[in-house]
């Protein structure tokens, strides 16, 4: 065996293995370079999902002949000017991407600097660098890559089906486009545009919402709540969907840390925690959240291509996310998403009739928008926060229902209540209410379940948790680490109604449990608690568990579908819904009501 220095092309190939996994990783590196170069327009073309060919062209600062030559060499970068790895402000900094791509494909760069009249090109084929030649090109940079992994057939075999690779390309580009709404992005597959997002202007919130509408769809934009929170020097902004707009997977959840797309268990766990009162555990909200933290608070250096991050204080981040999302959802009041009525109308509309106008759908906005956003004027339609203007007596519960006689009058106060006045109950399950400009159909069981849950939670915070002693204390066997974890938290657990203590090394003994749990399987509860503690060492998960229990109790205690209600009962239910945060959906994320605007109904009958 001889000890020797590896040839440069081998070093490059090894480095490429780290960074370049698939066409999408090439595109990510190239587009990030374009963004770092200050581009305002970025066009991406792919053929055969980017495996046979891909190109990225931009209108950024460009490179001169010398810079082109350096750009394709390893560890050459124009970034990191102060050799400071802590305060990184650009997307790239390693000087590895271009030589890595050049090691595993045919690479061609053409560039012209902004104020120069000559363009230059250079080629790299499996790390062999050509000389720089004059070329014809407008200002900016065009980078073309052909035949990815052509010299390393083994790597080629690891690529997935072209459809999957194409999906990765789209996903990577969309995430970058979410971060930079002021930059135009397009993706073309050689025959047609897969998407084209134009530049959007305006303040952060409105520009972002416009870009998110283009990427995530109109339903999302119409039913998204702005998030705007800060703690110390950490901030969280973005948009989250009303719980009634949800999906069976988390693919429409986009998370960014300091403008980098990330996939992170801690962050997705926090999102789940925030929605768990209002959404079934197998449903997922749609969202785009942008976390900004000081650069010394997070380690983005973990891996160049993977989307992992490491936080210095994970508990602080989780607390901020759960708190901010819950607050945002609570401020949305009883609002349920407008796509529901659209869906209902879509089902009812005769074939071939005109789709709803965007205005009809927009007019359903009634969320309480935080001041920061309202003043930006991005939503100057109906953003009246009805909680304060229409229902001044929120604290006097139950809110007095209108007298039964009012129900018969034609011109009653239906316009004073967002959820209107009850007109009828049908199939002993649905309440039909008349509002100023439409009708509302309430699912009485879902609505009542939500109200009871809110009541139990309120009691919990006001009076603390009633405990119930066990006649025979229950011994639960656990492994040592779990016993230690639980024993360290006996004080908090007691506050939540669980009184237990260590019982030797391998067990705990439970003496009291929260009274509201009734007859439960104590062993499985203790095991679940221990698991939660092991996973995330925080009390918040314990409290969350109790909320879950509240939801289960509420479901068992609420008005069943099939019970007849009188007018007074129906109106009382409507008024309580208006006064109860999050009442637009039950704890499983099903809507508690659907609203049909008069205009939509008229359209349904061809009156408009
Ligand atoms: P890094 O981005 O880490 O610096 P790269 O290998 O991705 O490393 O790029 C090397 C250098 O090439 C960059 O630092 C930059 O100076 C230059 N460069 C790459 N792409 C572009 C572009 N589209 N426009 C202008 N300069 C670019
Ligand atoms: Mg780079």
């Amino acid at each position: 065996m001889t000890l020797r220095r590896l040839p440069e092309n081998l070093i490059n190939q090894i480095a490429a293995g780290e960074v370049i996994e698939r066409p999408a990783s090439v595109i990510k590196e190239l587009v990030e370079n374009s963004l770092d170069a200050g581009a305002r327009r970025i066009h991406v073309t792919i053929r055969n999902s980017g495996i046979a060919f891909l190109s990225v062209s931009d209108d950024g600062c460009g490179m001169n002949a010398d810079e082109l030559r350096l750009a394709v060499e390893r560890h050459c970068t124009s970034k990191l000017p102060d050799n400071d790895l802590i305060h990184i402000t650009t997307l790239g900094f390693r000087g590895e991407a271009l030589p890595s791509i050049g090691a595993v494909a045919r690479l061609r760069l053409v560039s012209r600097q902004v104020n120069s009249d000559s363009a230059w090109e250079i080629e790299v084929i499996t790390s062999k660098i050509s000389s720089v030649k004059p070329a014809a090109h407008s200002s900016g940079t065009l980078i073309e890559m052909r035949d990815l992994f052509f010299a390393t057939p083994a790597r080629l075999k690891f690529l997935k089906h072209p459809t999957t690779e194409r999906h990765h390309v789209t996903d990577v580009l969309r995430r970058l486009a979410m971060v930079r709404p002021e930059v135009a992005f397009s993706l073309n597959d050689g025959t047609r545009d897969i998407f084209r997002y134009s530049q959007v202007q305006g303040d952060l919130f409105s520009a972002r919402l416009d870009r998110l509408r283009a990427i995530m769809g109109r339903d999302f934009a119409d039913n998204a709540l702005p998030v705007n929170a800060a703690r110390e020097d950490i901030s969280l902004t973005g948009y989250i969907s009303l719980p009634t707009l949800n999906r069976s997977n988390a693919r429409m959840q986009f998370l960014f840390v300091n403008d980098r797309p990330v996939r992170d268990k801690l962050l997705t766990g926090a999102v789940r925690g925030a929605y768990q009162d209002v959404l079934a555990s197998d449903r997922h909200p749609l969202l785009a959240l942008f976390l900004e933290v000081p650069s010394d608070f997070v380690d983005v250096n973990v891996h160049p291509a993977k989307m992992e991050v490491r936080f210095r204080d994970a508990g602080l981040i989780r607390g901020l996310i759960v708190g901010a999302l819950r607050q945002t959802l609570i401020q949305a009041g009883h609002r349920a998403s407008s796509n529901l009525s659209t869906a209902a109308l879509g089902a009812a509309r005769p074939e071939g009739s005109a789709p709803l106008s965007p205005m009809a759908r927009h007019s359903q906005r009634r969320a309480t928008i935080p001041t920061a956003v309202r003043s930006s004027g991005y939503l100057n339609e109906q953003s009246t926060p009805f909680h304060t203007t229409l229902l001044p007596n929120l604290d006097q519960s139950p809110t007095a229902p209108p007298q039964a006689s009012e129900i018969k009058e034609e011109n009653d106060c239906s316009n004073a209540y967002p959820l209107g006045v009850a007109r009828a109950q049908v199939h002993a399950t649905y309440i039909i209410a008349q509002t100023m400009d439409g009708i509302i159909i309430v699912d009485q069981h879902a609505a009542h379940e939500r109200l009871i849950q809110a009541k139990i939670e309120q009691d919990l915070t006001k009076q603390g948790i009633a405990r119930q002693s066990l006649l025979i204390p229950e011994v639960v066997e656990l492994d040592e680490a779990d016993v230690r974890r639980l024993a360290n938290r006996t004080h908090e657990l007691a506050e939540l109604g669980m009184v237990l203590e260590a019982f030797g090394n391998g067990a705990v003994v439970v003496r009291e449990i929260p009274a509201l749990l009734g007859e439960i399987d104590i062993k499985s509860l203790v095991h679940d608690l221990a698991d939660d503690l092991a996973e995330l060492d925080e009390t918040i998960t314990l409290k969350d568990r109790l909320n879950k229990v509240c939801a289960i109790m509420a479901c068992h205690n609420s008005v069943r579908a099939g019970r007849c209600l009188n007018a007074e009962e129906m109106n009382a239910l409507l008024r309580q819904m208006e006064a109860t945060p999050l009442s637009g959906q039950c704890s499983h994320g099903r809507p508690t009501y659907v609203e049909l605007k008069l205009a939509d109904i008229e359209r349904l009958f061809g009156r408009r």
Side-chain angles (χ1 to χ4, degrees):
M1 260 199 300
T2 16
L3 178 62
R4 63 177 181 126
R5 178 177 294 278
L6 291 174
E8 184 73 7
N9 66 337
L10 212 53
I11 294 176
N12 284 341
Q13 267 188 23
I14 292 167
E18 291 276 300
V19 190
I20 307 301
E21 240 181 318
R22 50 170 34 121
S25 21
V26 178
I27 289 184
K28 173 176 177 288
E29 294 296 335
L30 297 183
V31 171
E32 285 186 349
N33 281 346
S34 297
L35 290 170
D36 282 342
R40 284 302 157 123
R41 287 171 193 287
I42 298 174
H43 297 296
V44 179
T45 304
I46 54 174
R47 262 180 237 137
N48 183 22
S49 306
I51 302 164
F53 173 88
L54 63 83
S55 74
V56 173
S57 79
D58 68 51
D59 60 352
C61 63
M63 288 171 271
N64 63 26
D66 289 340
E67 288 169 336
L68 265 184
R69 209 172 290 122
L70 274 177
V72 295
E73 272 181 38
R74 251 160 75 76
H75 306 307
C76 289
T77 178
S78 55
K79 305 157 197 180
L80 277 193
D82 309 317
N83 293 334
D84 177 358
L85 269 179
I86 300 292
H87 302 101
I88 295 164
T89 55
T90 50
L91 292 163
F93 59 87
R94 291 185 171 75
E96 244 168 30
L98 293 179
S100 295
I101 300 166
V104 294
R106 302 177 217 272
L107 183 66
R108 176 171 174 259
L109 287 72
V110 193
S111 194
R112 189 171 117 194
Q113 263 186 336
V114 181
N115 292 318
S116 155
D117 19 77
S118 37
W120 301 92
E121 68 169 279
I122 192 167
E123 276 187 327
V124 189
I125 297 168
T126 45
S127 295
K128 280 193 253 342
I129 303 176
S130 75
S131 55
V132 180
K133 297 182 201 102
H137 192 63
S138 51
S139 90
T141 303
L142 164 71
I143 300 191
E144 293 175 339
M145 185 221 75
R146 284 184 171 76
D147 306 326
L148 181 61
F149 300 142
F150 76 96
T152 45
R155 303 274 311 273
L156 198 56
K157 283 205 193 92
F158 274 99
L159 291 178
K160 298 271 171 357
H161 190 272
T163 323
T164 311
E165 294 302 337
R166 182 177 149 127
H167 172 80
H168 283 294
V169 169
T170 332
D171 191 61
V172 153
L173 259 185
R174 287 206 163 119
R175 283 174 201 263
L176 288 164
M178 283 183 185
V179 179
R180 305 293 292 271
E182 76 283 8
V183 179
F185 287 85
S186 72
L187 174 63
N188 187 290
D189 68 1
T191 51
R192 60 175 193 95
D193 280 345
I194 299 169
F195 58 70
R196 181 171 284 275
Y197 306 135
S198 45
Q199 292 173 331
V200 274
Q201 310 297 338
D203 66 281
L204 180 72
F205 273 88
S206 67
R208 233 188 227 157
L209 188 62
D210 283 350
R211 180 53 64 84
L212 292 176
R213 176 180 292 112
I215 298 174
M216 295 173 71
R218 172 165 250 147
D219 265 352
F220 175 71
D222 285 353
N223 295 291
L225 305 168
V227 174
N228 190 2
R231 193 180 289 178
E232 290 166 31
D233 37 11
I234 298 170
S235 80
L236 181 73
T237 55
Y239 285 90
I240 60 174
S241 72
L242 285 165
T244 41
L245 182 66
N246 56 58
R247 294 269 192 281
S248 61
N249 57 49
R251 245 178 274 151
M252 282 294 237
Q253 296 188 355
F254 301 95
L255 300 167
F256 302 86
V257 175
N258 293 352
D259 287 349
R260 284 167 191 275
V262 297
R263 274 184 231 279
D264 184 271
K265 270 216 195 85
L266 167 81
L267 301 182
T268 42
V271 167
R272 210 177 308 118
Y275 272 86
Q276 92 176 5
D277 286 2
V278 290
L279 206 53
S281 53
D282 58 346
R283 304 297 301 177
H284 305 267
L286 289 69
L287 47 85
L289 285 174
F290 303 81
L291 192 66
E292 296 289 332
V293 304
S295 41
D296 55 355
F297 195 91
V298 62
D299 188 358
V300 291
N301 210 347
V302 183
H303 194 284
K306 300 274 155 48
M307 300 165 100
E308 288 154 17
V309 285
R310 233 187 336 241
F311 295 105
R312 210 177 58 207
D313 184 348
L316 180 69
I317 300 286
R318 183 182 157 94
L320 174 68
I321 295 178
V322 175
L325 265 52
R326 286 215 174 134
Q327 192 54 36
T328 305
L329 291 170
I330 285 169
Q331 278 170 337
H334 68 261
R335 195 179 150 201
S337 53
S338 66
N339 65 314
L340 297 167
S341 55
T342 313
L345 280 167
R349 203 179 313 119
E351 291 242 345
S353 60
L356 292 181
S357 76
M359 273 322 290
R361 296 173 54 180
H362 267 291
S363 64
Q364 299 184 338
R365 268 185 197 287
R366 217 187 247 130
T368 312
I369 309 290
T371 349
V373 177
R374 203 181 318 146
S375 58
S376 75
Y378 99 100
L379 243 198
N380 43 19
E381 312 133 39
Q382 304 192 0
S383 54
T384 331
F386 65 83
H387 282 167
T388 47
T389 52
L390 298 174
L391 289 170
N393 300 328
L394 272 192
D395 296 338
Q396 298 172 6
S397 57
T399 315
Q403 293 305 301
S405 63
E406 282 177 73
I407 302 211
K408 296 188 195 73
E409 287 172 26
E410 258 321 301
N411 298 314
D412 55 29
C413 62
S414 60
N415 55 354
Y417 295 117
L419 295 182
V421 170
R423 292 295 183 198
Q425 183 193 30
V426 294
H427 295 294
T429 304
Y430 302 105
I431 301 168
I432 312 286
Q434 176 177 339
T435 61
M436 189 170 58
D437 58 351
I439 63 172
I440 283 190
I441 308 170
V442 178
D443 175 334
Q444 67 188 40
H445 170 65
H448 199 242
E449 174 185 322
R450 178 63 216 156
L451 295 180
I452 297 216
Q453 186 187 348
K455 173 85 171 64
I456 297 174
E457 284 169 15
Q458 206 179 12
D459 287 356
L460 275 183
T461 32
K462 267 203 199 123
Q463 295 143 26
I465 293 161
R467 297 200 294 243
Q468 164 201 331
S469 325
L470 300 174
L471 281 179
I472 308 159
E474 178 130 359
V475 175
V476 182
E477 290 181 8
L478 294 160
D479 51 14
E480 231 172 281
D482 282 339
V483 172
R484 210 172 335 106
R485 262 183 224 113
L486 285 168
N488 283 340
R489 307 302 273 273
T490 47
H491 191 69
E492 281 152 346
L493 286 167
E495 250 172 51
L496 295 169
M498 282 288 285
V499 176
L500 54 76
E501 64 206 54
F503 191 71
N505 281 341
V508 295
V509 56
V510 182
R511 302 193 184 282
E512 295 176 45
I513 60 166
L516 55 81
L517 293 185
E519 294 273 308
I520 54 146
D521 180 349
I522 294 173
K523 274 200 182 65
S524 80
L525 178 66
V526 170
H527 277 284
D528 285 356
L529 281 173
D531 285 349
D532 275 5
L533 281 177
E535 197 180 308
L536 249 191
D537 202 18
E538 276 182 274
T539 44
I540 192 159
T541 54
L542 299 183
K543 293 198 174 122
D544 286 349
R545 281 201 70 75
L546 278 166
N547 286 339
K548 201 95 207 155
V549 173
C550 295
I552 295 164
M553 301 226 332
C555 188
H556 287 286
N557 287 327
S558 56
V559 184
R560 291 277 134 204
R563 214 190 91 189
C564 291
L565 300 176
N566 65 28
E568 236 165 288
E569 289 173 315
M570 291 191 281
N571 279 308
L573 192 71
L574 294 177
R575 300 294 79 79
Q576 280 177 31
M577 284 170 72
E578 285 160 0
T580 305
L582 303 175
S583 63
Q585 60 279 312
C586 76
S587 56
H588 305 98
R590 289 194 297 269
T592 54
Y593 74 91
V594 169
E595 182 173 19
L596 301 183
K597 293 287 180 196
L598 214 47
D600 294 337
I601 298 173
E602 285 169 355
R603 211 165 284 123
L604 201 56
F605 288 101
R607 282 167 168 266
R608 282 190 178 217

